[in-house]
């Protein structure tokens, strides 16, 4: 099991490779109205007519809040080294700030202790999109005070869990929740406004920097990162317009957070729009040293000019010959390899892939088994692509599948299944899919190679059965 910081270590073959699974609080926990949890912006969003497929919400989800012991046992059977989950901010601080909720704090104590007993390293992400509604009412991420709220919340998490947890991420995919939540209006809080988007980008960056400082100060041996969704962006059509739109989209998608956080400056296309919200000294507060780069990768984006959108660009169609997943996301493993290599050369930080996986149409057969061949093929292709990137020199230290369980897939509700474990939503019964066995074999093979000190991280032919 890995522990502590990565700084100074140079290659996964020296420090061991971390295999894991990822989830997030709103998507799996349920128990939305008990033990003092406050509302979050997704509770509110789900109540709005027409926002979520089928009118679904996270009230029950996978009921992980009550079934966490069973879920830890599933992870132990998989043999993962680590589990990345997020804390529900409104479970710890129902009003977002002020009085803490002991029942909520105690839930994560139980989860963390059980993970450690099972030999699984807990990786905490502080924010996976469930902002307390009470803070949403104050403007949420468009309020500059959010940096202080977030730092106080980070301090509470550090005080309570920092004795047992050393891996902390500040934000999951700040690009997605700011662009979709404040720019396109597709995600909570459902705002479509250029000014709101730019404020949110800057204040989330400030919040990240503030939390890094708090965590670094409070926790001995802490290892900190942020989790960014990065995908190559290609023009959907041949014209100049789509080309220009792609360039600006890529700056929002790939660079609006990693660039300021790592290098202290905004990409050129954004700098002017952010200036009105910047105060002297802000960039130094944002660019705080981190220990690793968390990467979520799924598929390249095909972008078109779209004047109805606040950034003048939006998603277009992928070329018809590109294979797609059940989400209609293109399957291009080579884009994953290239993203890892590019990331390594640009940021020079150890990389942890903290989300990769696919939705598929999964149905139990007459024997109750779920034979998710499409997912196995996807994971095989993507882990092989990662192996190629490592062979080409990319410093990739870990890989986490999204997701352990089928769960609430945001606006798609429960219609899209990403788990390697099937969840029957009428009974909440968990059934490991064929891909769970495949992943357990991959990890076991990797561990054998590691023990033999061959230097192989286990994505090669030995794992392909
Ligand atoms: C990512 C999110 C995660 C999940 C996957 C499919 O963008 O971080 O919560 O929805 O996509």
């Amino acid at each position: 099991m890995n522990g502590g910081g990565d700084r100074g270590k140079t290659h996964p073959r020296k420090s061991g490779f971390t295999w894991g699974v990822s989830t997030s609080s709103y998507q799996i926990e349920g128990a939305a109205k008990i033990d003092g949890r406050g509302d979050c912006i997704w509770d509110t969003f789900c109540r709005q007519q027409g926002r979520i497929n089928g009118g679904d919400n996270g009230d029950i989800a996978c009921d992980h809040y009550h079934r966490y012991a069973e879920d830890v046992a599933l992870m132990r059977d998989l043999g993962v080294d680590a589990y990345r989950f997020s804390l529900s901010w409104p479970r710890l601080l129902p009003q977002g700030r002020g009085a803490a909720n002991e029942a909520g704090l105690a839930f994560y104590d139980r989860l963390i202790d059980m993970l450690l007993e099972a030999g699984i390293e807990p990786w905490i992400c502080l924010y996976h999109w469930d902002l307390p509604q009470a803070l949403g009412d104050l403007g949420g991420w468009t309020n500059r005070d959010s940096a202080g709220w977030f730092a106080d919340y980070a301090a509470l998490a550090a005080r309570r869990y920092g004795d047992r947890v050393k891996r902390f991420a500040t934000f999951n995919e700040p690009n997605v929740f700011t662009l979709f939540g404040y720019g396109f209006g597709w995600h909570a809080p459902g705002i479509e406004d250029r000014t709101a988007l730019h404020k949110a980008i800057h204040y989330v960056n400030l919040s990240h920097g503030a939390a890094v400082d708090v965590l670094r100060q409070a926790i001995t041996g802490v290892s900190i990162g942020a989790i960014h969704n990065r995908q190559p962006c290609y023009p959907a059509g041949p014209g100049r317009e789509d080309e220009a739109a792609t360039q600006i989209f890529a700056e929002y998608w790939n660079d609006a957070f990693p660039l300021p956080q790592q290098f202290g400056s905004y990409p050129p296309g954004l700098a002017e729009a952010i200036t009105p919200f910047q105060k002297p000294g802000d960039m130094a507060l944002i660019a705080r040293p981190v220990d690793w780069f968390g990467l979520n990768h799924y598929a390249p984006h095909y972008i078109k000019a779209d004047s109805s959108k606040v950034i003048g660009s939006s998603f277009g169609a992928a070329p018809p010959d590109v294979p797609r997943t059940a989400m209609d996301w293109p399957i291009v493993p080579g884009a994953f390899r290239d993203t890892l290599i590019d990331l390594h050369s640009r940021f020079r930080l150890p990389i942890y892939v903290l989300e990769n996986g696919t939705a598929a149409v999964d149905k139990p057969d007459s024997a109750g088994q779920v034979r998710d061949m499409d997912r196995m093929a996807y994971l095989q292709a993507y882990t092989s692509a990662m192996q190629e990137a490592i062979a080409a020199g990319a410093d990739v230290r870990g890989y986490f599948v999204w997701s352990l369980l089928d769960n609430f897939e945001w606006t798609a509700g429960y219609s899209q299944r990403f788990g390697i474990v099937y969840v029957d939503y009428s009974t909440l019964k968990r059934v490991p899919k064929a891909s769970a066995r495949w992943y357990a074999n991959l990890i076991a093979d990797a561990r054998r190679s590691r023990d033999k000190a061959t230097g192989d991280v286990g994505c090669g032919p030995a794992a392909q059965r």
Side-chain angles (χ1 to χ4, degrees), residues 24 27 84 128-129 172-173 176 229 296 298 327 329 355 402 407-410 418:
S24 89
Q27 294 178 277
R84 169 203 158 200
H128 201 125
W129 307 358
N172 176 70
E173 300 187 351
V176 176
N229 183 307
N296 292 353
Y298 290 93
M327 288 285 274
W329 292 355
E355 282 185 30
W402 183 271
N407 60 47
F408 175 80
E409 178 46 36
W410 309 114
F418 271 89

Side-chain angles (χ1 to χ4, degrees), residues 187-274:
H187 278 189
I191 293 169
E192 208 175 337
D193 181 83
R194 202 176 148 77
T195 302
L197 170 65
H198 293 125
K199 282 184 177 173
I201 289 173
H202 190 56
Y203 300 152
V204 168
N205 272 321
L206 279 173
S207 303
H208 160 83
V212 170
D213 284 349
V214 162
L215 294 167
R216 186 83 66 207
Q217 243 183 15
I219 306 174
T220 313
V222 72
S223 176
I224 307 170
I227 306 169
H228 299 292
N229 183 307
R230 267 181 106 71
Q231 328 292 333
C233 298
Y234 307 122
R240 281 241 185 95
E241 277 199 333
D242 282 4
E243 205 175 295
T246 302
Q247 203 176 335
I248 184 75
F249 187 94
E251 290 194 353
Y252 279 91
W253 195 272
N254 290 326
D255 292 339
F257 295 90
L259 247 52
Q261 291 176 12
Q262 204 52 35
F263 305 119
S265 61
Y266 280 101
L270 258 84
E272 206 183 307
I274 302 282

Side-chain angles (χ1 to χ4, degrees), residues 154-406:
L156 172 69
R159 275 198 305 278
R160 182 74 174 218
Y161 309 121
D163 58 338
R164 288 156 290 162
V165 181
K166 300 300 173 191
R167 297 282 189 172
F168 278 83
T170 54
F171 285 94
N172 176 70
E173 300 187 351
N175 60 340
V176 176
F177 78 79
T178 54
L179 190 59
F180 287 9
Y182 296 89
F184 291 174
W186 296 342
H187 278 189
I191 293 169
E192 208 175 337
D193 181 83
R194 202 176 148 77
T195 302
L197 170 65
H198 293 125
K199 282 184 177 173
I201 289 173
H202 190 56
Y203 300 152
V204 168
N205 272 321
L206 279 173
S207 303
H208 160 83
V212 170
D213 284 349
V214 162
L215 294 167
R216 186 83 66 207
Q217 243 183 15
I219 306 174
T220 313
V222 72
S223 176
I224 307 170
I227 306 169
H228 299 292
N229 183 307
R230 267 181 106 71
Q231 328 292 333
C233 298
Y234 307 122
R240 281 241 185 95
E241 277 199 333
D242 282 4
E243 205 175 295
T246 302
Q247 203 176 335
I248 184 75
F249 187 94
E251 290 194 353
Y252 279 91
W253 195 272
N254 290 326
D255 292 339
F257 295 90
L259 247 52
Q261 291 176 12
Q262 204 52 35
F263 305 119
S265 61
Y266 280 101
L270 258 84
E272 206 183 307
I274 302 282
T275 308
F277 316 114
Q278 243 171 287
K279 290 193 178 164
D282 277 4
M283 299 318 288
L285 295 174
I286 292 170
R288 310 301 297 144
V290 293
D291 302 296
W292 42 267
F293 194 110
L295 172 71
N296 292 353
H297 181 94
Y298 290 93
H301 295 326
Y302 295 86
I303 302 303
K304 62 173 186 194
D306 183 348
S307 57
S308 75
K309 292 282 178 289
V310 296
I311 63 166
S313 61
S314 183
F315 295 98
D321 55 328
V322 176
R324 331 276 172 96
T325 71
M327 288 285 274
D328 217 27
W329 292 355
I331 303 173
V332 190
F336 182 37
R337 177 200 56 223
D338 296 347
T339 298
L340 288 166
I341 293 170
D342 173 65
L343 196 55
H344 173 73
S345 70
R346 293 223 280 159
F347 292 89
R348 296 281 159 188
L349 281 171
I351 300 165
Y352 287 94
V353 178
L354 291 175
E355 282 185 30
N356 175 243
T358 183
V361 184
D362 302 319
K363 285 204 184 77
D365 62 18
S366 54
Q369 300 299 306
V370 182
R371 297 177 53 74
D372 54 340
M373 309 310 277
D374 290 350
R375 181 172 293 98
M376 282 194 283
Y378 178 101
L379 292 174
Q380 177 61 63
Y382 274 72
T383 50
S384 296
M386 174 176 70
Q387 176 73 349
E388 286 169 25
I390 292 170
D395 185 4
V396 186
R397 307 272 178 106
Y399 175 91
F400 291 54
V401 170
W402 183 271
S403 180
L404 171 67
L405 303 169
D406 291 338

